[in-house]
Amino acid sequence: EGKCIMDISVDIEDYKLNIRAAGIIIHNDKILVHRNKNSDHYALIGGRVAIGEDSKETVKREVLEEIGKTVEIIGYIATIENFFEMKGKKYHEILFIYKMEFEKEEDKRIEKVLKNIEGKEYLQYEWLDVYSLEKYPIKPECIKEILKEKKFPIHKIHKEI
């Protein structure tokens, strides 16, 4: 421990290039997502890939850091090239999305809202009904159609700018 993790996040001209990885757990027709209580949308659980780290390791590390749970990767869902603007900054993001599962049997029965264990009080983890995802603001938006179509793995280009 104690080593500095350098995210792959680079400023190029007026863009920020991010390499991100996220995981999706589906239980009882619900998916686990996270929400910043100060923002108006949900997002997949994950984070930026660190230099020298593969995207599977990123997902496992992020879930452990954020909610203290160990997961295994059980499949691959999508690669999304995501172009969007946030707080006046343009983003070019490559997003790897895995299907994951909690490792421990008791964790597989969790249905409650989970809290962030890093002290980020504003983050919470909620279960959304996979059949009514269109009701929720989820970013990137195209994740809704990917989960509806169930044709994995898939490659999408998602442009908001």
Side-chain angles (χ1 to χ4, degrees), residues 35-41 87 120-124:
R35 184 171 71 90
N36 178 333
K37 293 180 194 171
N38 308 315
S39 81
D40 59 355
H41 68 271
K87 294 179 183 157
K120 295 177 182 169
E121 293 292 313
Y122 55 87
L123 279 182
Q124 65 182 28

Side-chain angles (χ1 to χ4, degrees), residues 20-149:
R20 289 189 80 245
I24 293 179
I25 290 180
I26 303 177
H27 277 187
N28 299 332
D29 296 328
K30 289 185 164 52
I31 73 163
L32 189 61
V33 291
H34 79 178
R35 184 171 71 90
N36 178 333
K37 293 180 194 171
N38 308 315
S39 81
D40 59 355
H41 68 271
Y42 293 90
L44 300 176
I45 300 171
R48 289 190 287 227
V49 177
I51 198 75
E53 176 181 66
D54 69 58
S55 55
K56 276 185 180 178
E57 287 173 36
T58 301
V59 172
K60 291 175 165 186
R61 173 180 55 78
E62 288 285 347
V63 174
L64 189 60
E65 286 173 0
E66 291 186 26
I67 58 174
K69 305 289 181 196
T70 52
V71 292
E72 59 179 325
I73 303 297
I74 56 171
Y76 193 68
I77 293 177
T79 306
I80 300 173
E81 295 178 53
N82 194 15
F83 299 83
F84 62 97
E85 209 164 313
M86 196 169 68
K87 294 179 183 157
K89 183 102 184 130
K90 290 194 284 195
Y91 286 81
H92 179 162
E93 181 178 273
I94 311 295
L95 176 59
F96 301 98
I97 303 173
Y98 291 91
K99 188 166 198 282
M100 63 183 180
E101 181 57 89
F102 288 129
E103 280 185 352
K104 295 191 177 124
E105 278 310 310
E106 66 264 29
D107 290 342
K108 292 179 185 181
R109 294 191 285 277
I110 295 173
E111 292 187 10
K112 64 181 195 293
V113 170
L114 295 166
K115 301 273 180 247
N116 179 282
I117 62 161
E118 301 168 289
K120 295 177 182 169
E121 293 292 313
Y122 55 87
L123 279 182
Q124 65 182 28
Y125 304 80
E126 301 173 28
W127 296 93
L128 302 183
D129 188 311
V130 77
Y131 297 111
S132 45
L133 288 181
E134 63 284 342
K135 292 196 307 206
Y136 302 98
I138 300 177
K139 292 195 184 286
E141 274 285 320
C142 63
I143 197 63
K144 296 176 187 180
E145 63 193 71
I146 290 170
L147 290 173
K148 198 185 255 176
E149 289 166 9

